[in-house]
């Protein structure tokens, strides 16, 4: 499941540089996460770094519209990082 930044976001700029997949960018009003690039840090870290560095409780949550299993997140990680090497 990809992650989602809620409207609690204060644009503190903490999450964007921490994302190892470059899935976080500035949206129209707040930061957004590209679900095609978000692996919840699978392949990189034990827990999502954006959630760890966010100063706002429950600002970054699981995106109910992008439900993915751990295996699917691993597959996405491999596809993202394999294409970088090409």
């Amino acid at each position: 499941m990809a992650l989602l930044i809620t409207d609690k976001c204060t644009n503190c700029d903490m999450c964007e540089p921490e994302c190892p997949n470059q899935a976080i960018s500035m949206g129209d009003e707040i930061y957004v996460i590209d679900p095609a690039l978000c692996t919840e840090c699978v392949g990189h870290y034990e827990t999502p770094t954006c959630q760890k560095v966010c100063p706002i409780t429950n600002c970054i949550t699981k995106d109910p519209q992008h439900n993915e299993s751990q295996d699917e997140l691993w597959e996405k990680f491999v596809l993202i990082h394999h294409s970088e090497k090409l």
Side-chain angles (χ1 to χ4, degrees), residues 72-83:
E72 290 170 319
L73 293 170
W74 269 107
E75 289 175 24
K76 191 189 312 184
F77 165 79
V78 170
L79 288 172
I80 291 167
H81 293 282
H82 176 71
S83 65

Side-chain angles (χ1 to χ4, degrees), residues 18-21 37-49 69-82 84-85:
E18 294 296 323
C19 182
N21 297 325
L37 295 175
C38 180
T39 63
E40 294 183 42
C41 289
V42 166
H44 295 282
Y45 306 109
E46 293 274 327
T47 59
T49 58
S69 70
Q70 197 73 5
D71 288 340
E72 290 170 319
L73 293 170
W74 269 107
E75 289 175 24
K76 191 189 312 184
F77 165 79
V78 170
L79 288 172
I80 291 167
H81 293 282
H82 176 71
E84 288 178 355
K85 294 177 183 178

Side-chain angles (χ1 to χ4, degrees), residues 4 17 25 27-28 31 33 35 38 44 47 50 53 61 67 72 77 79 82:
L4 172 74
S25 62
D28 291 337
Y31 279 93
I33 297 176
C38 180
H44 295 282
T47 59
C50 60
V53 300
T61 62
N67 191 11
E72 290 170 319
F77 165 79
L79 288 172
H82 176 71

